[in-house]
Every structure is written in structure tokens, then in C-alpha cells.
Amino acid sequence: MSTKIETKGIHEGWVPKNGEPRQVPVYQSTTFKYDSSDDMGKLFDLEAEGYFYTRLQNPTNDFVANKICAMEGGVAAMLTSSGQAANFFAMFNICEAGDHFIASSSIYGGTYNLFGVSMKKMGIDCTFVDQNISEEELDKLFRPNTKAVFGETITNPSVMVLDIEKFARVAHKHGVPLIIDNTFATPAKCRPFEWGADIVTHSTTKYMDGQAVSVGGCIVDSGNFDWMAHAEKFPGLTTPDESYHGITYAEKFGKGAYITKATAQLMRDLGAIQSPQNAFYLNLGLETLAVRMDRHCENALKVAQYLKAQDKVAWVHYPDLEDDEYNALAKKYLPNGSCGVLAFAVKGGRAKAIEFMDSLQLASIVTHVADCKTCLLHPASHTHRQLTDEQLEESGVAPDLIRLSVGLENADDIIADIQQALNRI
């Protein structure tokens, strides 16, 4: 039976049999027992399905990953310890020293550093591009060793909307996958696979969890990218893996090849697994994700409209505003609302931004975003403070930008708190 996103969030992933618990059980165990050495040996050879060590896989994690997979419309998924781990695994699964990939320059600052600094030290080069680049200019940036293109559905913190189809067209023209971080939109508001994306990542710490209680990440594969059709570009998937007795992932696992390799190789060696207890908390958030996202969007639009009318506010960016630069793309990719995050600035620059934030009483200044409580931060002083002024401008982060994550409180209360803080500056 075909079900809608609200139903998938409640029922997918774990389907209890007669007499089993209705809620997802927590398998809080590092190890799993088998009756014979041969039974366990088949797991290590990838000849049988099952669990032997939670560093690689855990049933609770798989139940929850399968739910996210169903919500995104993919074929396979895996949980990771954080969104950063998800983005690293997603890229490192198909890139190695000497390779190159392309990414939007407007992505989250932590991801920007991961790609531009840490992965560069590993010999993997990234070219950052303005996501408003033309297809013709983007086309010129591909190299023979380019392995992927990366972007965010809605950028953090500049709340720009990516033209997914444009990036997908150019990526596929060059025989590489498009990887999309769908954290802010969530599958409740956008399913990038329907617009040509091949792989989706999430920081499940944000809206999917929704309560700011558990850090985690997820990677979902659409199963649509044909690795064997571009075998020379992706030897890790299309040639034998000697660490698993010569298995060729794309041949043996078909549409499940990408996630199987990420689990069997990367999780085995790097161990960035999400704890089963955190996966349990994540599942609780997924059950209410769709209804929460509607309220987040409703509240954020009211707050954005209010801010636009204030004399002390310099500018407001929120894609659901009719006059926003990204409203047309939002109507295309996010017709039922974008997210609860908006960006704005108060007049007077950095000093006034800090003064305004310190005057808030309901909203909290935290290094977090996208949960039920209204919170905010000043990226240039906090999450992006490691970037130079030039890098800030390149990533679309103005020095006076305030990222406001509008929560689930009554919108009038949120606005009243903003009003009293504006009155103090």
C-alpha cells in the first residue's frame, strides 16, 4: 500500500510480528551470538545477512535507517554518529587520494572545512562554486578525476534554495552522482531523489530528532546511479575488494552496493556508528516530523513577515517570502513550505547583532538549530568564526547575519520576545 509521508514516519522501518513490541526495540548490545563458527564466518564474508558487532550494524539502527529510507524514497540507508560523519562517509565512499569533487560554497561551515581542509589533507580536492552559477560555467569546472557534486537543499545558515535539477543535469552529463544534504528541508518538505539527486545525507540531530537530545546522521541511496556504467570512475565499487575476498560491490549487491560498501568498509574502519539509544530517540522524532515541520514553517513565515516590517531590521532572507530571491525555487522544490530557519540582520552590524541577541528572553543562544525551541546564533562569531572574511562572503554568510531557528512556541510569543529585544537596541 502506498502511504504518505506522515504515515511513513510512524509505520515504516519496524513492523512487529505477533507478540513483538509495538515500539522499536533498543538492541543495547555490542555483540550478537551465533551457534557455529561457520554462521558467523558467512557474515564476515558478506555471504549472509545479520549482525555480529554494533560498530558495523545494529538492528535498532537499521530499523530507523529503513524508516528514513522509506521517507526519502530510497533503496538503502545507514545511520552515522553525526551529520558531519554522514557527509564525510558519503563523499569518501567514492573518493580517494587524487580525486576531485565540486560543492556549493554556501554549505554549512563545518562541512566547508571538512571538504576544504580535512579532506584536502587526505589528497582529495574540492572546488567550491556559487550555487547560482550557470550550467555552462559549472560544466567547465569538471575534471577527468571529478567524482561527485554536493549541495544543500536549503543552505545553512544563508537559507538559499539549491536548483537541484540544474546540478543533477550537469553532474549526470559528466557521469557522477549528485549528493544532497537535505537536513533543513527534511523529506517532509522535499525529496531530492524526485528531482534527480542520487544520494541524500542528513544531520538527524536537527529536525528529525526535533528535541535536541541526540546527535546523529544518515545517508540514503536512491539506487538510481549506475556505477557500472561509469566503472572507470568508481573502482571502489566496480573492482574487487581484496579486504572482502575479492567482492565487487556493484556486481554482488546491485542497487544496495553504495550503502553496503559504506558499511562494510568505512564503518568497519572508522567506526562512526550512531548509538542504538540515540537511534531510538531519533525514531520518536521521526514519528512527528511531518506535523512539526508544518508548524515550524507556519511560525517562521509569521516571524519573517514581522521582521520585514521593522525599521531596526536591515534585511530578511526566508525563501517562503514572496519577494525573496529564492521564492521561485522554493515554490518549485518546496511548495508546501521550506523550513523553520531564517536569516536576518539588525541595523548597526556585528555590535548591534550581539546586543540584540543578548536581550532575548525566550529564544536561546545555542550552537544548534532546527528543534522545537526557538534558538539563534551569529555565525560569524560562532559556527563560522574559523572562516576568513573572504570565505564568509563566498559562503553567503554576511558578518551581520543572524540565524534564527523558529520553534514550536506560539508565534505571538516568539514575536513579542523579538520586539522587546529590538526595543533595547
Side-chain angles (χ1 to χ4, degrees), residues 267-293:
M267 198 63 81
R268 174 196 64 187
D269 295 343
L270 301 174
I273 193 72
Q274 186 170 151
S275 77
Q277 191 66 47
N278 277 359
F280 175 82
Y281 295 140
L282 168 58
N283 183 65
L284 296 179
L286 292 171
E287 291 185 346
T288 62
L289 176 65
V291 293
R292 286 187 290 106
M293 288 304 294

mmCIF file of all heavy atoms in Angstrom, residues 267-293:
data_model
loop_
_atom_site.group_PDB
_atom_site.id
_atom_site.type_symbol
_atom_site.label_atom_id
_atom_site.label_comp_id
_atom_site.label_asym_id
_atom_site.label_seq_id
_atom_site.Cartn_x
_atom_site.Cartn_y
_atom_site.Cartn_z
ATOM 1 N N MET A 267 32.450 2.045 7.880
ATOM 2 C CA MET A 267 32.042 1.875 9.269
ATOM 3 C C MET A 267 32.932 0.867 9.977
ATOM 4 O O MET A 267 33.263 1.017 11.150
ATOM 5 C CB MET A 267 30.567 1.463 9.343
ATOM 6 C CG MET A 267 29.959 1.684 10.715
ATOM 7 S SD MET A 267 29.946 3.435 11.207
ATOM 8 C CE MET A 267 28.499 4.015 10.321
ATOM 9 N N ARG A 268 33.357 -0.158 9.238
ATOM 10 C CA ARG A 268 34.296 -1.135 9.804
ATOM 11 C C ARG A 268 35.586 -0.457 10.258
ATOM 12 O O ARG A 268 36.076 -0.707 11.369
ATOM 13 C CB ARG A 268 34.617 -2.198 8.743
ATOM 14 C CG ARG A 268 35.693 -3.205 9.164
ATOM 15 C CD ARG A 268 36.229 -3.956 7.950
ATOM 16 N NE ARG A 268 36.904 -3.069 7.006
ATOM 17 C CZ ARG A 268 37.347 -3.448 5.806
ATOM 18 N NH1 ARG A 268 37.156 -4.687 5.396
ATOM 19 N NH2 ARG A 268 37.946 -2.583 5.004
ATOM 20 N N ASP A 269 36.120 0.437 9.419
ATOM 21 C CA ASP A 269 37.439 1.001 9.677
ATOM 22 C C ASP A 269 37.406 2.280 10.507
ATOM 23 O O ASP A 269 38.351 2.567 11.245
ATOM 24 C CB ASP A 269 38.148 1.286 8.346
ATOM 25 C CG ASP A 269 38.438 0.009 7.564
ATOM 26 O OD1 ASP A 269 38.390 -1.078 8.164
ATOM 27 O OD2 ASP A 269 38.710 0.110 6.359
ATOM 28 N N LEU A 270 36.339 3.059 10.395
ATOM 29 C CA LEU A 270 36.289 4.357 11.068
ATOM 30 C C LEU A 270 35.324 4.371 12.254
ATOM 31 O O LEU A 270 35.453 5.204 13.145
ATOM 32 C CB LEU A 270 35.911 5.452 10.065
ATOM 33 C CG LEU A 270 36.884 5.576 8.882
ATOM 34 C CD1 LEU A 270 36.366 6.585 7.859
ATOM 35 C CD2 LEU A 270 38.274 5.971 9.350
ATOM 36 N N GLY A 271 34.344 3.487 12.252
ATOM 37 C CA GLY A 271 33.525 3.267 13.435
ATOM 38 C C GLY A 271 32.638 4.397 13.897
ATOM 39 O O GLY A 271 32.318 4.483 15.084
ATOM 40 N N ALA A 272 32.188 5.271 12.990
ATOM 41 C CA ALA A 272 31.353 6.408 13.382
ATOM 42 C C ALA A 272 29.885 5.995 13.445
ATOM 43 O O ALA A 272 29.024 6.551 12.767
ATOM 44 C CB ALA A 272 31.545 7.569 12.404
ATOM 45 N N ILE A 273 29.600 5.001 14.310
ATOM 46 C CA ILE A 273 28.254 4.458 14.394
ATOM 47 C C ILE A 273 27.398 5.306 15.340
ATOM 48 O O ILE A 273 27.906 5.892 16.296
ATOM 49 C CB ILE A 273 28.301 2.988 14.893
ATOM 50 C CG1 ILE A 273 26.958 2.279 14.694
ATOM 51 C CG2 ILE A 273 28.734 2.910 16.353
ATOM 52 C CD1 ILE A 273 26.639 1.949 13.273
ATOM 53 N N GLN A 274 26.110 5.374 15.052
ATOM 54 C CA GLN A 274 25.174 6.011 15.975
ATOM 55 C C GLN A 274 24.808 5.004 17.067
ATOM 56 O O GLN A 274 24.625 3.820 16.781
ATOM 57 C CB GLN A 274 23.913 6.451 15.221
ATOM 58 C CG GLN A 274 22.955 7.261 16.073
ATOM 59 C CD GLN A 274 21.836 7.904 15.271
ATOM 60 O OE1 GLN A 274 20.749 8.128 15.778
ATOM 61 N NE2 GLN A 274 22.114 8.232 14.007
ATOM 62 N N SER A 275 24.688 5.455 18.306
ATOM 63 C CA SER A 275 24.337 4.525 19.370
ATOM 64 C C SER A 275 22.891 4.081 19.200
ATOM 65 O O SER A 275 22.036 4.857 18.753
ATOM 66 C CB SER A 275 24.514 5.182 20.736
ATOM 67 O OG SER A 275 23.440 6.062 21.015
ATOM 68 N N PRO A 276 22.569 2.829 19.547
ATOM 69 C CA PRO A 276 21.184 2.356 19.439
ATOM 70 C C PRO A 276 20.212 3.213 20.255
ATOM 71 O O PRO A 276 19.071 3.423 19.833
ATOM 72 C CB PRO A 276 21.259 0.922 19.967
ATOM 73 C CG PRO A 276 22.676 0.510 19.756
ATOM 74 C CD PRO A 276 23.488 1.751 19.941
ATOM 75 N N GLN A 277 20.654 3.699 21.414
ATOM 76 C CA GLN A 277 19.772 4.528 22.229
ATOM 77 C C GLN A 277 19.444 5.827 21.508
ATOM 78 O O GLN A 277 18.300 6.292 21.503
ATOM 79 C CB GLN A 277 20.413 4.829 23.581
ATOM 80 C CG GLN A 277 19.469 5.466 24.590
ATOM 81 C CD GLN A 277 18.354 4.540 25.026
ATOM 82 O OE1 GLN A 277 18.592 3.379 25.350
ATOM 83 N NE2 GLN A 277 17.129 5.030 25.005
ATOM 84 N N ASN A 278 20.438 6.447 20.851
ATOM 85 C CA ASN A 278 20.176 7.664 20.085
ATOM 86 C C ASN A 278 19.269 7.381 18.897
ATOM 87 O O ASN A 278 18.435 8.211 18.532
ATOM 88 C CB ASN A 278 21.486 8.296 19.616
ATOM 89 C CG ASN A 278 22.129 9.157 20.687
ATOM 90 O OD1 ASN A 278 21.591 9.294 21.787
ATOM 91 N ND2 ASN A 278 23.273 9.731 20.385
ATOM 92 N N ALA A 279 19.438 6.215 18.282
ATOM 93 C CA ALA A 279 18.551 5.841 17.181
ATOM 94 C C ALA A 279 17.107 5.716 17.668
ATOM 95 O O ALA A 279 16.161 6.085 16.967
ATOM 96 C CB ALA A 279 19.017 4.528 16.552
ATOM 97 N N PHE A 280 16.934 5.209 18.881
ATOM 98 C CA PHE A 280 15.597 5.103 19.474
ATOM 99 C C PHE A 280 14.983 6.492 19.652
ATOM 100 O O PHE A 280 13.818 6.725 19.308
ATOM 101 C CB PHE A 280 15.691 4.384 20.817
ATOM 102 C CG PHE A 280 14.393 4.329 21.579
ATOM 103 C CD1 PHE A 280 13.442 3.366 21.289
ATOM 104 C CD2 PHE A 280 14.121 5.243 22.585
ATOM 105 C CE1 PHE A 280 12.242 3.313 21.988
ATOM 106 C CE2 PHE A 280 12.932 5.202 23.291
ATOM 107 C CZ PHE A 280 11.988 4.238 22.991
ATOM 108 N N TYR A 281 15.772 7.438 20.176
ATOM 109 C CA TYR A 281 15.274 8.807 20.328
ATOM 110 C C TYR A 281 14.934 9.414 18.964
ATOM 111 O O TYR A 281 13.938 10.110 18.806
ATOM 112 C CB TYR A 281 16.316 9.693 21.027
ATOM 113 C CG TYR A 281 16.617 9.310 22.453
ATOM 114 C CD1 TYR A 281 17.923 9.359 22.943
ATOM 115 C CD2 TYR A 281 15.609 8.910 23.319
ATOM 116 C CE1 TYR A 281 18.218 9.019 24.251
ATOM 117 C CE2 TYR A 281 15.892 8.566 24.632
ATOM 118 C CZ TYR A 281 17.197 8.619 25.090
ATOM 119 O OH TYR A 281 17.488 8.279 26.395
ATOM 120 N N LEU A 282 15.798 9.161 17.987
ATOM 121 C CA LEU A 282 15.572 9.668 16.633
ATOM 122 C C LEU A 282 14.248 9.157 16.084
ATOM 123 O O LEU A 282 13.484 9.911 15.471
ATOM 124 C CB LEU A 282 16.730 9.255 15.723
ATOM 125 C CG LEU A 282 16.558 9.450 14.224
ATOM 126 C CD1 LEU A 282 16.267 10.899 13.890
ATOM 127 C CD2 LEU A 282 17.805 8.962 13.485
ATOM 128 N N ASN A 283 13.958 7.895 16.316
ATOM 129 C CA ASN A 283 12.705 7.342 15.816
ATOM 130 C C ASN A 283 11.494 8.063 16.393
ATOM 131 O O ASN A 283 10.495 8.283 15.701
ATOM 132 C CB ASN A 283 12.620 5.850 16.135
ATOM 133 C CG ASN A 283 11.365 5.220 15.576
ATOM 134 O OD1 ASN A 283 11.185 5.150 14.367
ATOM 135 N ND2 ASN A 283 10.468 4.790 16.442
ATOM 136 N N LEU A 284 11.560 8.438 17.666
ATOM 137 C CA LEU A 284 10.454 9.183 18.270
ATOM 138 C C LEU A 284 10.246 10.511 17.540
ATOM 139 O O LEU A 284 9.117 10.939 17.311
ATOM 140 C CB LEU A 284 10.727 9.428 19.752
ATOM 141 C CG LEU A 284 10.820 8.192 20.644
ATOM 142 C CD1 LEU A 284 11.121 8.600 22.081
ATOM 143 C CD2 LEU A 284 9.545 7.361 20.580
ATOM 144 N N GLY A 285 11.349 11.157 17.170
ATOM 145 C CA GLY A 285 11.240 12.403 16.424
ATOM 146 C C GLY A 285 10.657 12.208 15.041
ATOM 147 O O GLY A 285 9.851 13.015 14.569
ATOM 148 N N LEU A 286 11.043 11.135 14.377
ATOM 149 C CA LEU A 286 10.542 10.873 13.033
ATOM 150 C C LEU A 286 9.031 10.678 13.013
ATOM 151 O O LEU A 286 8.367 11.009 12.028
ATOM 152 C CB LEU A 286 11.226 9.637 12.449
ATOM 153 C CG LEU A 286 12.723 9.772 12.137
ATOM 154 C CD1 LEU A 286 13.312 8.417 11.788
ATOM 155 C CD2 LEU A 286 12.965 10.767 11.010
ATOM 156 N N GLU A 287 8.488 10.142 14.099
ATOM 157 C CA GLU A 287 7.048 9.886 14.135
ATOM 158 C C GLU A 287 6.226 11.175 14.061
ATOM 159 O O GLU A 287 5.085 11.156 13.610
ATOM 160 C CB GLU A 287 6.700 9.087 15.394
ATOM 161 C CG GLU A 287 7.228 7.662 15.355
ATOM 162 C CD GLU A 287 6.784 6.822 16.536
ATOM 163 O OE1 GLU A 287 6.277 7.404 17.529
ATOM 164 O OE2 GLU A 287 6.928 5.587 16.468
ATOM 165 N N THR A 288 6.798 12.288 14.508
ATOM 166 C CA THR A 288 6.071 13.564 14.484
ATOM 167 C C THR A 288 6.678 14.570 13.516
ATOM 168 O O THR A 288 6.258 15.730 13.481
ATOM 169 C CB THR A 288 6.039 14.188 15.894
ATOM 170 O OG1 THR A 288 7.393 14.459 16.327
ATOM 171 C CG2 THR A 288 5.370 13.259 16.890
ATOM 172 N N LEU A 289 7.663 14.151 12.718
ATOM 173 C CA LEU A 289 8.395 15.083 11.856
ATOM 174 C C LEU A 289 7.478 15.889 10.940
ATOM 175 O O LEU A 289 7.569 17.112 10.864
ATOM 176 C CB LEU A 289 9.428 14.325 11.021
ATOM 177 C CG LEU A 289 10.212 15.167 10.008
ATOM 178 C CD1 LEU A 289 11.079 16.196 10.717
ATOM 179 C CD2 LEU A 289 11.073 14.269 9.116
ATOM 180 N N ALA A 290 6.593 15.217 10.233
ATOM 181 C CA ALA A 290 5.778 15.897 9.226
ATOM 182 C C ALA A 290 4.884 16.966 9.846
ATOM 183 O O ALA A 290 4.773 18.084 9.319
ATOM 184 C CB ALA A 290 4.933 14.883 8.458
ATOM 185 N N VAL A 291 4.244 16.649 10.961
ATOM 186 C CA VAL A 291 3.355 17.643 11.577
ATOM 187 C C VAL A 291 4.151 18.778 12.201
ATOM 188 O O VAL A 291 3.723 19.941 12.185
ATOM 189 C CB VAL A 291 2.410 16.994 12.607
ATOM 190 C CG1 VAL A 291 1.423 16.077 11.916
ATOM 191 C CG2 VAL A 291 3.170 16.236 13.686
ATOM 192 N N ARG A 292 5.329 18.467 12.748
ATOM 193 C CA ARG A 292 6.160 19.529 13.310
ATOM 194 C C ARG A 292 6.656 20.487 12.235
ATOM 195 O O ARG A 292 6.700 21.703 12.439
ATOM 196 C CB ARG A 292 7.346 18.936 14.076
ATOM 197 C CG ARG A 292 6.981 18.333 15.415
ATOM 198 C CD ARG A 292 8.208 17.917 16.223
ATOM 199 N NE ARG A 292 8.891 16.765 15.667
ATOM 200 C CZ ARG A 292 10.052 16.800 15.015
ATOM 201 N NH1 ARG A 292 10.665 17.963 14.805
ATOM 202 N NH2 ARG A 292 10.614 15.690 14.550
ATOM 203 N N MET A 293 7.045 19.934 11.088
ATOM 204 C CA MET A 293 7.563 20.792 10.026
ATOM 205 C C MET A 293 6.507 21.776 9.536
ATOM 206 O O MET A 293 6.824 22.929 9.197
ATOM 207 C CB MET A 293 8.087 19.943 8.874
ATOM 208 C CG MET A 293 9.389 19.214 9.182
ATOM 209 S SD MET A 293 10.743 20.292 9.709
ATOM 210 C CE MET A 293 11.030 21.237 8.207
#
